[in-house]
């Protein structure tokens, strides 16, 4: 019989059942013989009597799984499920004022629990309604078991710690409703009032968590830009009236402060068509539903009185942008690009500061002129400030986005001349002078280029100038063809002085100038002949740039756009400076009635600064351009 009982491994199994040092014969089997009331069945019966039912093993704090089949091992927490005992052993609870539990187990997912059990060696959840919006870590067991529980995991984050709020109990009246019902013997079903209170508490908790996460994320990747002031009194609208004691020389001088922003917000269609420029960006940051809230938030924070926006996509403008800006108190004017291009330029102004006198769109495409075969546009507005001193004061605001192609400087100069001609037709006042002018936009030209110098200096001799060097975008320009003289044909109707020829003639007739027909024709022929031979462009505006384009401390260049290919300045705000403004150009013709004084500007950044936040766009800045912002004071005499 003993031989028949012997089988492979039986000897080792018998050795494992022996207990060294046990009383009696050596090798006595374990466990000892059963004693009535002290054997396995007795121990199991006593544990069953002491343990609460599995429907409520924690005295009101429900577990997350049904009891496992078969006997349950006795241990330190014999009344708890096995996986909860394992969870308690694997996590080291360090209670401090912040109630943070650090993990030393293999699980890396972090959970925020709604509360904890004060006498347990590990946190336990407060019974609240479960919301199945999360993917659960593996230590919670099968999903089918979890469906029968009512735990709530209100948030997950990628870290290795528990965040436990500390519910303080100041009085009996502040005890949880479930504890009150358990002590009073009431049923666990909450009343409608209790459900409403619980829902309000949950909503407030979720809102606070979302706000905290948003504030934490906003600290990462934030571009810090400071405001540079040139005048002590700014950022407020002030109207002054200084009346001279001499009645004959009495003048009313009004000072009206306002801010102007120029911002290329990056059309979504252009972003997708030029995806090679944004290889450094994560894909989720390039979606319009992510980008638009950031752009709108920037506009809200900077709170400019006038917005000049470029690359405004038409469908987004119609569905979202216009209504959002109107809700902020703006009136919007928009001009879409011609042809099949779905974006354009917009000028928006606060109705509390300005009223619209006229809106004048400019199309740079001309079907009868081969040179002008591009779909870029401009927009010129004449605004009237709302202040009491002078009712006839006006400001001309222009916005444009010139052609990008670095090798077509001839088109760029012609588009600029067309914009300046429209401004010259809108800005004149009754006394023959120009009202103050502000020109914003993406000019696709770098500081110091011939096109830039033409805007600031009011003149350009382009004789022998290579077509690829006009904008200065390329260090080694490929377009080496020389600009023709003149650049644009006569049928465009714009002179070398960047004014409309027909309107100029009408202006002379309205002024009452009378000349003999022969002399007038001879004069026009001479002027036209000289213009055909002249290689000089000029305009009559005295314009200065808001930005200096270089940091004086380091000499590093300022940057307005930054993507995978380049980081340069192409966006500008030009303005007609008053005589006492520091930026007034020496020797410029004083053809303005009053002018603008620069009070301050929002500082730009270097390329190095931008790459510390992974360039543009990034998590907080959703365009590949930075917004430009300046504050002016309108001086009318």
């Amino acid at each position: 019989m003993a031989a028949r009982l012997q089988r492979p491994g039986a000897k080792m199994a018998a050795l494992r059942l022996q207990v060294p040092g046990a009383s009696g014969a050596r090798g006595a089997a374990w466990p000892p013989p059963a004693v009535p009331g002290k054997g396995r069945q007795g121990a199991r019966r006593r544990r069953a009597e002491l343990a609460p039912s599995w429907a409520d093993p924690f005295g009101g704090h429900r577990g997350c799984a049904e009891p496992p089949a078969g006997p349950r091992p006795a241990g330190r927490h014999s009344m708890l499920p096995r996986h909860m005992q394992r969870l308690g052993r694997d996590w080291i609870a360090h209670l401090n004022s912040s109630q943070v539990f650090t993990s030393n187990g293999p699980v890396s997912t972090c959970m925020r629990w709604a509360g904890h059990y004060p006498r347990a060696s590990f946190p336990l959840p407060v019974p609240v309604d479960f919301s199945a919006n999360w993917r659960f870590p593996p230590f919670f067991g099968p999903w089918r078991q979890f469906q029968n529980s009512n735990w709530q995991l209100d948030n997950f984050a990628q870290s290795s710690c528990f965040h436990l709020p500390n519910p303080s109990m100041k009085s009996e009246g502040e005890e949880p409703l479930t504890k009150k019902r358990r002590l009073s013997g009431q049923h666990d079903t909450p009343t409608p009032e209790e459900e409403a209170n619980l829902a309000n508490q949950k909503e407030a908790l979720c809102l606070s968590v979302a706000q905290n996460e948003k504030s934490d994320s906003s600290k990462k990747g934030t571009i810090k830009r400071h405001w540079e002031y040139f005048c002590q009194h700014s950022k407020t609208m002030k109207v002054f009236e200084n009346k001279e004691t001499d009645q004959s020389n009495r003048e009313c001088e009004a000072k009206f402060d306002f801010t102007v922003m120029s911002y290329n917000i990056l059309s979504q269609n252009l972003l997708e068509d030029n995806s090679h420029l944004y290889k450094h960006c994560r894909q989720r940051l390039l979606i319009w539903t992510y980008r638009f809230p950031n752009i709108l938030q920037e506009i809200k924070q900077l709170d400019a009185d006038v917005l000049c926006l470029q690359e405004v996509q038409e469908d987004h403008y119609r569905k979202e942008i216009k209504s959002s800006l109107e809700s902020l108190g703006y009136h919007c004017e928009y001009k879409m690009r011609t042809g099949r291009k779905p974006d354009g330029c917009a000028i928006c102004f606060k109705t509390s500061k300005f009223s619209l006198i006229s809106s004048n769109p400019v199309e740079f495409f001309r079907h009868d002129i081969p040179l002008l075969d591009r779909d870029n546009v401009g927009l010129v507005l004449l605004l009237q400030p709302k202040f009491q001193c002078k009712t006839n004061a006006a400001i001309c605001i222009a916005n444009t986005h010139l052609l990008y192609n670095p090798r077509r400087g001839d088109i760029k100069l012609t588009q600029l001349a067309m914009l300046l001609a429209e401004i010259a037709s809108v800005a004149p006042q009754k006394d023959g002078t120009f009202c103050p002018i502000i020109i914003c936009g993406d000019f696709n030209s770098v500081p110091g280029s011939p096109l830039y110098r033409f805007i600031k200096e009011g003149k350009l001799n382009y004789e022998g100038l290579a077509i690829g060097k006009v904008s200065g975008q390329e260090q080694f320009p490929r377009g080496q063809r020389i600009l023709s003289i003149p650049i644009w044909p006569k049928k465009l109707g714009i002179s070398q002085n960047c004014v409309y020829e027909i309107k100029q003639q009408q202006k002379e007739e309205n002024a009452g100038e009378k000349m003999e027909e022969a002399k007038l024709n001879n004069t026009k022929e001479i002027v036209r002949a000289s213009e055909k031979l002249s290689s000089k462009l000029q305009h009559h505006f005295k314009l200065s740039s808001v930005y200096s384009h270089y940091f004086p401390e380091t000499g590093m260049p300022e940057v307005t756009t930054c993507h995978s290919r380049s980081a340069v300045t192409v966006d500008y705000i030009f303005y007609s400076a008053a005589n006492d403004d520091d930026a007034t150009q020496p020797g410029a013709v004083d053809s303005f009635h009053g002018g603008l004084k620069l009070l301050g500007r929002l500082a730009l950044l270097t390329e190095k600064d931008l790459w510390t936040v992974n360039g543009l766009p990034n998590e907080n800045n959703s365009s590949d351009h930075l917004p430009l912002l300046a504050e002016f004071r309108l001086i009318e005499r």
Side-chain angles (χ1 to χ4, degrees):
M1 179 65 67
R4 286 197 300 269
L5 291 176
Q6 190 71 23
R7 62 183 184 275
K11 184 176 181 180
M12 295 301 298
L15 290 177
R16 282 197 297 270
L17 292 175
Q18 295 177 358
V19 180
S23 60
R26 183 178 180 181
W30 180 265
V35 180
K38 295 184 180 180
R40 294 183 182 177
Q41 298 297 333
R44 187 178 305 169
R45 184 166 52 253
R46 285 196 303 274
R47 285 198 301 270
E49 293 174 356
L50 294 175
S53 64
W54 279 100
D56 193 8
F58 303 147
H61 297 273
R62 296 185 181 91
C64 67
E66 294 296 329
R72 295 181 297 276
R76 183 178 178 183
H77 303 287
S78 60
M79 294 183 295
L80 302 181
R82 291 179 179 176
H83 63 276
M84 294 302 295
Q85 298 179 37
R86 190 180 305 113
L87 177 64
R89 291 192 299 269
D90 289 345
W91 294 83
I92 298 177
H94 177 66
L95 287 174
N96 53 20
S97 59
S98 62
Q99 299 267 340
V100 177
F101 285 73
T102 305
S103 166
N104 63 351
V107 181
S108 62
T109 304
C110 168
M111 303 181 301
R112 291 192 179 92
W113 299 77
H116 68 280
Y117 191 70
R119 294 181 179 83
S121 61
F122 54 91
L124 297 176
V126 171
V128 291
D129 293 334
F130 171 73
S131 176
N133 293 325
W134 308 100
R135 182 177 299 171
F136 303 101
F139 57 75
F140 278 114
W143 165 247
R144 191 58 73 178
Q145 295 175 347
F146 217 97
Q147 284 181 324
N148 298 326
S149 65
N150 26 336
W151 290 358
Q152 174 178 350
L153 308 182
D154 63 327
N155 197 15
F156 282 94
Q158 295 300 322
S159 60
S160 59
C161 61
F162 285 114
H163 298 273
L164 303 183
N166 186 12
S168 58
M169 297 293 184
K170 296 182 180 178
S171 63
E172 183 181 358
E174 295 185 6
E175 292 179 344
L177 297 176
T178 53
K179 182 177 180 180
K180 289 183 180 180
R181 287 194 298 269
R182 186 171 65 253
L183 294 178
S184 60
Q186 298 178 6
H187 195 268
D188 280 350
T189 303
T191 64
E193 295 180 357
E194 294 171 351
E195 289 182 349
N197 293 335
L198 185 59
N200 293 335
Q201 294 175 4
K202 290 163 59 180
E203 183 178 358
L205 179 61
C206 293
L207 180 61
S208 63
V209 170
Q211 291 175 347
N212 292 336
E213 290 183 350
K214 186 174 181 180
S215 62
D216 292 341
S217 63
S218 63
K219 296 177 183 178
K220 302 177 182 179
T222 302
I223 300 178
K224 296 181 179 179
R225 300 175 63 186
H226 62 278
W227 190 267
E228 297 176 341
Y229 288 102
F230 302 102
C231 181
Q232 293 181 355
H233 305 285
S234 59
K235 299 305 291 179
T236 55
M237 187 191 79
K238 298 182 179 180
V239 176
F240 300 95
E241 293 187 4
N242 298 330
K243 296 185 177 180
E244 302 290 341
T245 56
D246 188 358
Q247 296 294 329
S248 60
N249 296 328
R250 179 177 299 177
E251 292 183 350
C252 177
E253 180 178 327
K255 296 179 181 179
F256 174 82
D257 296 353
F258 64 100
T259 54
V260 177
M261 176 198 293
S262 180
Y263 194 9
N264 184 326
I265 64 174
L266 181 56
S267 163
Q268 189 66 23
N269 279 7
L270 292 177
L271 183 154
E272 295 170 0
D273 292 342
N274 299 275
S275 58
H276 61 280
L277 300 178
Y278 312 106
K279 293 180 179 179
H280 63 285
C281 303
R282 287 181 288 175
Q283 289 300 316
R284 71 176 185 87
L285 304 182
L286 303 179
I287 303 174
W288 176 249
T289 54
Y290 181 91
R291 295 176 54 230
F292 177 63
N294 279 353
I295 293 172
L296 188 61
Q297 182 63 26
E298 279 187 293
I299 293 175
K300 287 180 181 179
Q301 289 179 349
L302 297 178
D303 193 28
D305 298 317
V306 180
L307 304 175
C308 293
L309 306 178
Q310 304 89 40
E311 291 193 19
V312 181
Q313 193 162 306
E314 192 274 335
D315 57 336
H316 293 158
Y317 172 80
R318 178 170 30 88
K319 295 177 182 178
E320 299 174 281
I321 298 175
K322 182 179 180 181
S323 58
S324 299
L325 294 180
E326 286 177 346
S327 66
L328 299 177
Y330 290 97
H331 172 82
C332 303
E333 295 288 328
Y334 178 71
K335 175 58 182 175
M336 188 175 68
R337 284 206 284 171
T338 54
R340 298 182 179 179
K341 306 298 182 181
D343 65 286
C345 296
I347 300 180
C348 313
F349 60 89
K350 286 190 175 180
T351 55
S352 60
K353 300 291 288 285
F354 298 96
S355 58
L356 179 63
I357 299 176
S358 66
S359 178
N360 309 274
V362 184
E363 295 182 356
F364 298 147
F365 174 82
R366 298 293 176 88
H367 65 277
D368 57 337
I369 301 177
L371 175 67
L372 298 175
D373 60 349
R374 306 306 166 96
D375 297 312
N376 305 84
V377 295
L379 186 60
V380 181
L381 264 58
L382 194 63
L383 303 179
Q384 182 175 354
K386 290 185 176 180
F387 65 103
Q388 299 177 353
C389 184
K390 276 207 170 187
T391 57
N392 60 351
I395 301 176
C396 181
I397 307 289
N399 183 23
T400 190
H401 188 182
L402 299 184
L403 177 69
Y404 166 77
N405 193 336
R407 300 184 296 277
R408 295 308 303 267
D410 52 346
I411 299 179
K412 293 174 187 280
L413 284 174
T414 306
Q415 291 179 347
L416 178 60
M418 296 173 70
L419 180 69
L420 295 175
E422 185 65 26
I423 295 173
S425 67
V426 172
Q429 300 186 115
K430 293 181 179 179
D431 58 359
T433 61
F434 293 113
C435 68
I437 296 171
I438 297 176
I439 305 177
C440 301
D442 182 347
F443 291 83
N444 279 314
S445 302
V446 301
S449 64
L451 188 144
Y452 174 85
R453 294 201 310 269
F454 173 56
I455 297 175
K456 284 196 65 176
E457 299 173 4
K459 57 185 179 180
L460 173 66
N461 187 353
Y462 59 87
E463 183 177 3
L465 180 61
I467 194 173
K469 294 183 178 180
V470 171
S471 63
Q473 294 168 275
E474 294 181 341
Q475 187 176 2
F476 303 102
R478 289 170 284 176
Q480 297 299 327
R481 180 168 60 88
I482 303 300
L483 288 170
S484 60
I485 302 176
I487 299 175
W488 55 83
K490 184 184 182 312
K491 62 181 178 180
L492 181 60
I494 296 177
S495 69
Q496 296 287 89
N497 294 329
C498 299
V499 295
Y500 292 128
E501 290 181 336
I502 297 177
K503 292 185 177 181
Q504 182 67 25
Q505 294 177 8
Q506 293 177 351
K507 180 180 178 181
E508 292 175 356
E509 292 176 1
N510 296 334
E513 294 183 2
K514 296 181 180 180
M515 298 178 64
E516 296 180 359
E517 190 68 20
K519 291 183 179 180
L520 180 60
N521 292 335
N522 292 336
T523 303
K524 289 182 179 179
E525 290 176 1
I526 295 173
V527 170
R528 290 170 183 171
S530 63
E531 286 186 352
K532 288 181 182 179
L533 299 176
S534 174
S535 60
K536 295 181 180 179
L537 294 177
Q538 60 180 348
H539 63 77
H540 299 295
F541 309 130
K542 182 181 58 175
L543 299 176
S544 301
S545 175
V546 166
Y547 291 90
S548 57
H549 314 308
Y550 294 91
F551 290 94
E553 300 85 2
T554 61
M556 297 292 293
E558 298 173 337
V559 168
T560 66
T561 181
C562 180
H563 50 68
S564 298
R565 292 289 182 89
S566 66
V568 293
T569 289
V570 294
D571 306 277
Y572 303 93
I573 300 178
F574 297 104
Y575 68 103
S576 55
N579 292 332
D580 59 344
D581 191 85
D582 296 336
T584 301
Q585 299 296 327
V589 180
D590 187 11
S591 59
F592 290 87
H593 192 79
L596 296 171
K597 183 177 182 62
L598 180 63
L599 301 182
R601 66 191 179 195
L602 186 63
L604 290 172
L605 301 169
T606 64
E607 179 181 2
K608 181 179 178 181
D609 295 332
L610 288 173
W611 282 117
T612 60
V613 292
N614 199 37
L616 296 173
N618 54 53
E619 290 188 0
N620 298 290
N621 306 90
S622 290
S623 173
D624 59 347
H625 292 248
L626 291 175
L628 279 61
L629 182 65
E631 184 179 16
F632 299 101
R633 172 167 294 165
L634 172 64
I635 300 175
E636 281 287 324
R637 298 182 185 276

